[in-house]
Structure formats: C-alpha cells, structure tokens
Amino acid sequence: MRRSLRLLSLSACVAAALAAGCKSETAPPADGAAAAPAAAKPAAAAEWNAAVDAFLQGYFERNPVAAANAGKHEFDGKLPDYSPQALQANIQWLRQQRDAVAAFGDDRLDAGQRFQRDYVLSTIDGQLFWLEDSGFAAKNPSFYLGDLSPSMYLTRPYAPLQQRMAAFVAYQEALPKAAEQIRGNLKGPLPATYIDLGTMGFGGMAQFFKNDVPQAFAEVKDEALQKRFAASNAKAIEAMQGLADYLTQQKPQATQDFALGADKFARMLKATEGVDLPLDQLKAAGEADLARNLAALKSACEAFAKGQTLQACVDKAGADKPAGGAVEGARAQLAGLRQFVVDKDLVSIPGTEQAKVEEAPPFNRSNFAYIEIPGPYEKNLPSVYYIAPPDPNWPKAERDAYVPGKADLLFTSAHEVWPGHFLHFLHANRSQWKFAQLFVGYAYTEGWAHYTEEMMFDAGLDGATPEIHIGQLTNALLRDVRYVSAIGLHTGGMTVAQSEQLFKDKAFQDPGNARQQAARGTYDPGYLNYTLGKLMILQLREDWTASRGGRGAWKAFHDQFLSYGGPPVPLVRGQMMGGKAETKLWTAPAVGAPTTAPAAAPAGAPEAAAPAGGAAK
C-alpha cells in the first residue's frame, strides 16, 4: 500500500478511534501472559468501564467525523471545531482524561484491564502528540484532509441515497466555516510540499464537488433537498477552492522547513508507537533491512534477467502489466490471494466479507493505493480498495510507468486485502472490547500489512518464482526507503531531492512515485512505520514461535497477534511474551549463519524459514 489505511495523524486517528462503541467488555487474558492476579473488585471494574465509556463519549462529541465513520450516524454532516480555542480545549480534555485513566493503579485492575488501561493511555499520548507537540495544526494540511473527506456519504451505502444526500448537504453547509478556521490556522510561510499537498487535496475536493457529486445525487427527487444541495454545493466549491488558492498564494514564500528534529521525532515514536530505541539503532535497523532486500533482489534478478542491471530487471518485471489496468488487475487477484491463505492455512478468516476494488476519487490520489473499511457500528457494508490513476498532467512515459507490473500489484493487493488490512479489520471488528475496534495504531496496521507481503512469498505465493520475488522485494524496498527517508528528512538534514533520488536508486521507483514518496515523507513522518512495524512483528514471531513449534505455529501466532485490535506493537509483545512492553526489532542473520529452526512447516509450504529477502530460498 502506498498510503496508510487509517493514518494516525490526528484527523485519521480520530476517525479510527472515535467510531467506537461504548460497550465495556474486558479483554481476555492474552495467551502466554503472566498468570493473572485475583479478579478486580466489582466496584473497581465498574468504575473502569465507566471511565472508558466517558472517554469514548467525549471523544465522539469532539470528533464527529470519526464517530460517523464508525457508524454513529447521529453525527452525520458534522465537522470538528478547528478554532485555536477548540483545539486547546481538546488538549486540556485529553490531559484530564489521561489523568483519570492513569489513576487506575495495578491494584485496582485485573490483567486484562491493565492491558486496556495501557492501550487507552497510549492512544491518548498519540493524540496529544499530534494535537500539541507536532505543530501540524498550524502548518500541515494532512491534519485536516482526512476529516474533510466526503467518501462516506458517496461510497458507503449505509442508508438510502436521499438520507445520505441530506447528511452530505449538512456536511457541505459546514465546510465554509471549517475552511475559514483552517485558513486561519495555516499561517505561512509553509513548506513547499505542504503547499502542494493542500493545493491538490483542497483543490481536488472543489473539482470533485463540481464535476462528480451532482451526478451522484441526481436521481433524488426531493426538490427542496435538491435546492438546498445546489446552494451548499456552490458554497463548498468556493470554500475548498478558496483554500487551495490561498495555499497557492503562499508558494513565493515556500520553505523547506518541514523537519521535526531528532528530539521531536523520538517523542513521536514514543508517544504514538511506544518505541523508545535510540535513533541510531533505529536507523541502523532500517539500513540493514534495505541492504538485505537489495541483496535478495540481486539474487532474484540473476535468475530472472541475468546480466542486466537491477533497474533493467525491475523494469522487465514491471513491463508485465495487469490486463485491463491496475483496477481490473487487482480485482482478478483477490480471489486467488484469499484461496492461497485458506489452502496454506496461514491465518483464520472470520466471516465471509469481500472487498471491492475501485478507482480512487480525484481528491485522494496522493498515493497509489489504499483501502476504506466501514467502522465497527456498520453492518453488511463493503470495504473498498482504491487505486489511483496516474496524474494526467504527467508525460505519457511517466503515466505508463506509474501502473505497476502484475507481480508488484499482487503484493499491493496482499497488503490491502488478503491477508493485510482487510483481514486485520475482520479480526479487529470482532474484538470483545469495542475500544480495540476503534483505535488502531499506524505501526500495528501497516506493519501487519507489510509483514504479510513477505510472509505470503515465504509460503510460496504464485510459485515464489524470481519474478514474483521481485514484486515482493520492490514493495519491501519502497518501505525501506520510506523508513530511511523519514529519519533522514526529519533528523538528518536530508533534502526532498535527495529522498526522491533514493527512491529511484534503491527502491527503483518511477519518477512519479518517487516524487510522491519523497514529498509524503515531509508531511507524514510516521511512514517509517511500515518497516518498523514489520521488523517488530518478525522478531515477535520468532520469539513466540520458538517454544511452540517454529513455523508450524505461524497460524496460531497470526491469530493471536490479530486478537488485540491495534495497540502499539511493544504493548502486544508484553502480552504475548508474558513480560513488559518493549521494542525489539528483527535483523537478518549474518551470511552463512543458520536461520530460525523451521520445525513443522504448514502443509505445502516451502521449507525455508527465513523471511523473504533474507537468505536464499
């Protein structure tokens, strides 16, 4: 995936979180956890459940978009208050909530509730970082773009079209005030990449409202509603285009001042992901993963395109395009991916839901692919895997190169749907604790989805041929360069141009993707979480399965891992290993060193146990 599913920048974290239900159920003790003490006293349990309920209800009220996206449609049409006063009040409320949650000491809670408490505290810490410490409300359009997306009303059939149209009209009527507040908050000078993001996002919404939305509601016969729609639509177009024009006017004063700095970057990782390793160790781990995947690509290319350069090899694999384009190609891949998961018995698939594949709307094309999954309060609604077409303004050669080859697309589809994001949320939405259905962390969800690409290759997907391996590795290298770029851009003085070149040289990205990826690193500093999450999951799998049969325990590991919802991975490690929350990253074994003992392999799986991209198969 080239875009985060529920990116936990504030607006998306809100969307992933708030949508929750207020059903207070205790999470079961994790398998392998330390023996639980006596159950909490009934009075303490009731107080804890009430505290969580109060947090969720307050969060709904302050973040109505997240509530509506979760399926709480009494919040339809509402937008948050983005005024400086409201943002500060939200900070104060979060601090008060944190104090109230932290007041539940270990002696008042059982083992499951202690995990819940730490999960809630980590969520609040992440929210406070984005609201207060990051400074994004004052300069980063991505802080707002998630909340402003109208996709829910147009693409999710949660109610009859006329009812959704009425909600959409209310949303449009709220946009001018929101746009005025956003414009007041985004004070220049702004980084050039932030200006470009806002111009594209807000301007794309204006064009979408003008060209596409009227047709979406054309069949509704309510004349009064249509008249109200026409009026609100004109004002919404004006508001969004006005924001885009305002940002365009900032271009002469544009800066390159996007870096968080080492201290703030480290605070981001601690607050949002519970990761507290020194930056030099984090950097070394990412560089090592980049090196192992480059070495594996060289080996695969020796078999696939012997004597050619790595770039020529990748181009050869990329030239094998999916029939009918990326959208049609992805549709054709999903059934096979699901069947492979079933045949290899890799992870449980709860339910019978399927995901649709569609072209991404014009206002959300800053990355190649993403998936939208209905919140836990929705029933029997489809998830949609969106794929962006190339920018029509690019040269034809760049537009053609932007469409991935079949092998590359296969692992994007694995990441987004089977067994990546979509399967993750099939599990998360069945959690016994509603909070875990709502708050899903960046490194957990993107780490899982990226991890599954490598795991699927290791299990023999499509014969694990050299061409298929190249498809998996190009996806891995993309995430490795994101990791290195995030640290470089925000802590090491790396320029956007240097990051762009790195995506071309080490991840073999086409010019359009390289530009997008380098720019994204400036306004999404957490996009190292794909590789960071994967490395934490790989190490946890190695440690957990070591005493449970090695590779034969993969399915049990996957099911157990997915049972937690989406907390920081170090917190999951503490639950699964029966100890404290801690950060441990997997590193490839030295050349010639033995890999993890495979023990009993799943039926039909290759015998090699090392993650793909490491030792030769």
Side-chain angles (χ1 to χ4, degrees):
M1 166 170 158
R2 274 105 170 176
R3 180 187 179 277
S4 169
L5 164 66
R6 290 183 182 177
L7 179 63
L8 295 192
S9 65
L10 181 68
S11 58
C13 207
V14 165
L18 245 166
C22 298
K23 187 176 181 182
S24 298
E25 299 174 1
T26 301
D31 176 50
K41 295 178 181 179
E47 291 173 9
W48 167 244
N49 291 337
V52 176
D53 289 352
F55 174 77
L56 291 174
Q57 185 57 37
Y59 211 80
F60 283 132
E61 293 166 357
R62 289 163 177 80
N63 301 276
V65 175
N69 270 289
K72 290 285 189 180
H73 291 295
E74 61 267 35
F75 291 93
D76 280 5
K78 298 179 181 179
L79 290 174
D81 186 344
Y82 296 125
S83 68
Q85 297 82 3
L87 294 177
Q88 188 59 42
N90 287 345
I91 291 170
Q92 294 302 321
W93 178 80
L94 283 167
R95 288 175 176 166
Q96 292 166 0
Q97 290 295 306
R98 196 190 194 289
D99 289 343
V101 170
F104 286 88
D106 287 355
D107 59 331
R108 300 178 63 192
L109 303 174
D110 64 27
Q113 291 163 339
R114 291 178 191 174
F115 168 71
Q116 292 179 351
R117 177 199 59 198
D118 294 344
Y119 195 162
V120 175
L121 288 173
S122 70
T123 299
I124 294 173
D125 287 343
Q127 291 297 307
L128 283 170
F129 177 83
W130 295 120
L131 258 176
E132 186 174 29
D133 208 7
S134 72
F136 279 4
K139 63 179 182 179
N140 193 339
S142 71
F143 186 90
Y144 305 101
L145 283 168
D147 272 354
L148 298 186
S149 172
S151 290
M152 176 181 67
Y153 306 112
L154 300 166
T155 63
R156 189 184 303 176
Y158 65 87
L161 184 63
Q162 183 168 331
Q163 180 180 332
R164 288 187 284 126
M165 181 180 181
F168 183 83
V169 168
Y171 151 83
Q172 284 193 140
E173 290 170 342
L175 277 174
K177 179 180 178 181
E180 181 182 358
Q181 292 174 336
I182 294 168
R183 180 169 177 167
N185 292 343
L186 295 175
K187 295 182 173 64
L190 300 172
T193 53
Y194 290 20
I195 293 172
D196 291 342
L197 172 68
T199 301
M200 180 194 68
F202 298 129
M205 289 178 68
Q207 291 302 308
F208 186 67
F209 292 153
K210 180 180 179 180
N211 300 328
D212 298 294
V213 173
Q215 293 94 320
F217 296 119
E219 66 184 69
V220 175
K221 303 304 181 184
D222 186 321
E223 292 185 9
L225 184 58
Q226 286 287 1
K227 183 176 180 180
R228 189 177 152 207
F229 167 79
S232 66
N233 185 248
K235 292 181 179 178
I237 293 169
E238 182 181 6
M240 291 297 98
Q241 190 59 53
L243 257 181
D245 293 344
Y246 167 73
L247 289 172
T248 300
Q249 294 163 10
Q250 307 306 308
K251 284 190 174 182
Q253 294 80 40
T255 73
Q256 297 298 321
D257 185 22
F258 52 76
L260 291 176
D263 289 345
K264 190 174 289 187
F265 191 85
R267 292 200 300 274
M268 174 192 75
L269 291 176
K270 177 63 176 175
T272 62
E273 302 298 341
V275 170
D276 56 3
L277 292 181
L279 284 177
D280 60 344
Q281 291 185 30
L282 286 168
K283 182 181 178 183
E287 290 172 343
D289 202 58
L290 175 60
R292 69 143 178 146
N293 284 318
L294 283 170
L297 180 65
K298 182 178 180 180
S299 178
C301 285
E302 277 293 304
F304 180 68
K306 188 174 179 61
Q308 297 187 27
T309 65
L310 291 184
Q311 183 64 65
C313 168
V314 170
D315 289 345
K316 179 182 176 182
D320 186 10
K321 303 291 186 183
V327 171
E328 287 301 320
R331 286 173 179 159
Q333 290 171 345
L334 293 190
L337 284 166
R338 187 186 188 281
Q339 192 60 47
F340 183 82
V341 170
V342 172
D343 291 345
K344 297 296 184 180
D345 201 25
L346 295 171
V347 57
S348 297
I349 300 178
T352 59
E353 296 95 325
Q354 301 286 341
K356 299 167 60 178
V357 187
E358 302 290 351
E359 183 175 291
F363 60 85
N364 204 0
R365 293 178 174 175
S366 61
N367 285 285
F368 175 74
Y370 65 100
I371 190 167
E372 286 192 359
I373 298 174
Y377 285 110
E378 303 285 22
K379 301 299 180 185
N380 302 317
L381 293 180
S383 295
V384 183
Y385 163 24
Y386 286 106
I387 295 177
D391 189 324
N393 296 316
W394 292 348
K396 184 178 185 302
E398 290 191 12
R399 297 199 306 272
D400 292 342
Y402 187 81
V403 178
K406 288 189 291 188
D408 185 345
L409 182 65
L410 180 66
F411 289 95
T412 301
S413 297
H415 180 111
E416 301 297 343
V417 185
W418 302 114
H421 290 310
F422 181 66
L423 179 60
H424 169 202
F425 280 94
L426 291 183
H427 281 263
N429 285 344
R430 287 165 171 80
S431 172
Q432 292 185 358
W433 190 40
K434 277 292 182 181
F435 191 95
Q437 299 178 10
L438 305 166
F439 291 90
V440 177
Y442 199 167
Y444 187 106
T445 187
E446 295 298 351
W448 165 260
H450 184 35
Y451 159 83
T452 65
E453 301 163 27
E454 193 160 314
M455 181 271 292
M456 290 283 276
F457 177 80
D458 282 346
L461 181 62
D462 269 20
T465 64
E467 182 176 0
I468 292 298
H469 201 185
I470 291 165
Q472 182 260 315
L473 289 166
T474 52
N475 278 273
L477 289 166
L478 171 67
R479 278 42 170 267
D480 283 330
V481 176
R482 284 177 180 170
Y483 186 111
V484 173
S485 286
I487 295 174
L489 289 165
H490 289 278
T491 75
M494 180 184 286
T495 66
V496 176
Q498 288 170 333
S499 173
E500 182 178 334
Q501 194 62 46
L502 196 64
F503 278 106
K504 293 177 182 177
D505 294 344
K506 301 296 185 182
F508 307 98
Q509 294 295 298
D510 61 90
N513 259 314
R515 280 195 301 272
Q516 286 184 338
Q517 294 301 317
R520 177 177 169 182
T522 67
Y523 55 77
D524 177 13
Y527 82 160
L528 86 164
N529 279 318
Y530 294 77
T531 294
L532 180 61
K534 177 191 71 175
L535 295 178
M536 289 191 286
I537 294 169
L538 282 171
Q539 187 61 49
L540 177 56
R541 185 186 76 187
E542 182 172 301
D543 294 342
W544 192 86
T545 60
S547 62
R548 294 171 173 83
R551 186 163 182 161
W554 276 17
K555 181 180 182 180
F557 169 78
H558 295 150
D559 288 352
Q560 182 69 22
F561 182 83
L562 291 177
S563 72
Y564 294 97
V569 179
L571 187 59
V572 175
R573 181 180 181 85
Q575 291 291 297
M576 293 186 69
M577 297 304 298
K580 65 179 182 179
E582 59 181 334
T583 305
K584 287 193 176 183
L585 305 183
W586 184 85
T587 54
V591 176
T595 61
T596 303
E607 292 185 1
K617 295 285 181 248

